[in-house]
Amino acid sequence: MASTDTTPVQDTGSVEAGLDALDAQVTGRPPFRQTFREKIFPPLVATAVVLVIWQALISFDIVTDPTKLPSPGDVAAEFKDAWLEGKLLGYIWTSVERGLLGFLLALAIGTPLGLVVARVKFIRAAIGPVLSGLQSLPSVAWVPPAVLWLGLNNSMMYAVILLGAVPSIANGLVSGIDQVPPLFLRAGRTMGATGWKGAWHIVLPASLPGYLAGLKQGWAFSWRSLMAAEIIASSPDLGIGLGALLENGRNASSMPMIFEAIFLILFVGIAVDLLVFSPLERRVLRSRGLLVKS
């Protein structure tokens, strides 16, 4: 009799040990060597390959017109001159400041708008299709009316950003709320979480993956809208951001300056994604057991 009682205890201990090992596997931080091999090294290789091919097109006279394709050295010299003149960081900060502030304003407007659209059937039927239509409308279309309404100033820039980003944020939240299991909502109502209290404690946390996708798309629309506004509505009073730098390069027929602006625009977009949205996305997925580290 005594020997038969020990088997369940051993099995329980094995199960607990297995669960502990699984938890450790999910929450453990990978070593830097693995992170470098999987996340850092591939982009470095891709960048090196692009630079080699780019330089080969120039060195082997495949592209001989520098007004069509400048050499990597010419673009690097353009970066160097802007840095030595103390203008490079100014170009970046002028656009980044506008983009981040406009995105925060869009976040403050799009989040409650998405909640209302998702939870009130009449409002959803009334303006839901309008939000989807606005999301598909190119942001550049808002620049001419915004200039006529508000003039050449920062308010015009923020208006274009809002019109481009708010529909994406609101639609992302609506999509996330639509995917919330009804059981969560019934459990919340049972515990007294109704109205805005239920939205804050139940709906928003449960819809976070879709909401985060909407935020990423909202930032992309914010950045694209801002670049369109800076290119079309450039003015000395607005300073020189990255879009204005791109337009200045076109006016001066300077391909190195154009490539400088393009690379800086790409750099900011990639940096915001890697430093802000990718960590948030990994944290959300990991908290839901959807991201397992090997």
Side-chain angles (χ1 to χ4, degrees), residues 10-285:
Q10 293 176 352
D11 292 343
T12 302
S14 300
V15 172
E16 291 178 351
L19 291 175
D20 292 340
L22 182 60
D23 290 338
Q25 184 183 25
V26 173
T27 60
R29 183 178 295 274
F32 175 76
R33 179 180 300 179
Q34 179 182 350
T35 302
F36 178 84
R37 183 178 67 251
E38 297 179 357
K39 300 294 181 64
I40 302 176
F41 183 67
L44 292 178
V45 172
T47 302
V49 170
V50 170
L51 290 176
V52 169
I53 295 175
W54 183 5
Q55 184 60 51
L57 293 175
I58 305 298
S59 300
F60 293 103
D61 294 330
I62 299 175
V63 179
T64 58
D65 189 354
T67 63
K68 302 296 183 183
L69 180 67
S71 68
D74 292 338
V75 177
E78 191 72 30
F79 274 98
K80 181 180 178 181
D81 292 342
W83 175 263
L84 293 178
E85 294 172 3
K87 298 179 179 179
L88 187 61
L89 295 180
Y91 297 150
I92 298 173
W93 179 244
T94 298
S95 293
V96 169
E97 183 182 22
R98 287 178 183 149
L100 291 179
L101 181 56
F103 175 72
L104 292 176
L105 291 173
L107 180 64
I109 297 173
T111 299
L113 178 61
L115 277 172
V116 172
V117 170
R119 303 302 294 166
V120 181
K121 292 182 179 180
F122 177 80
I123 295 180
R124 181 166 188 165
I127 69 173
V130 177
L131 287 177
S132 298
L134 290 175
Q135 188 175 356
S136 63
L137 183 68
S139 303
V140 67
W142 290 113
V143 179
V147 172
L148 294 177
W149 292 336
L150 302 172
L152 286 174
N153 50 44
N154 282 322
S155 298
M156 177 272 299
M157 298 283 184
Y158 296 135
V160 174
I161 293 174
L162 291 176
L163 291 169
V166 168
S168 296
I169 295 175
N171 280 331
L173 182 54
V174 170
S175 177
I177 292 175
D178 288 344
Q179 299 175 25
V180 175
L183 179 62
F184 290 4
L185 303 178
R186 290 197 297 268
R189 287 193 294 268
T190 301
M191 294 184 290
T194 58
W196 286 107
K197 186 177 180 181
W200 180 257
H201 293 285
I202 304 297
V203 177
L204 278 178
S207 62
L208 198 54
Y211 181 43
L212 183 57
L215 293 183
K216 290 181 65 175
Q217 191 174 47
W219 162 252
F221 272 81
S222 296
W223 191 237
R224 289 164 54 186
S225 301
L226 176 61
M227 292 302 101
E230 288 185 350
I231 290 172
I232 296 176
S234 59
S235 170
D237 296 336
L238 294 173
I240 301 179
L242 298 180
L245 179 65
L246 186 63
E247 180 65 10
N248 290 344
R250 185 190 70 83
N251 292 332
S253 299
S254 173
M255 286 301 293
M257 185 180 296
I258 291 175
F259 271 71
E260 176 192 18
I262 291 173
F263 288 148
L264 289 175
I265 293 170
L266 285 173
F267 169 77
V268 173
I270 294 172
V272 171
D273 181 73
L274 292 178
L275 298 177
V276 179
F277 291 108
S278 290
L280 283 176
E281 188 175 27
R282 287 195 300 269
R283 183 174 180 179
V284 170
L285 293 177

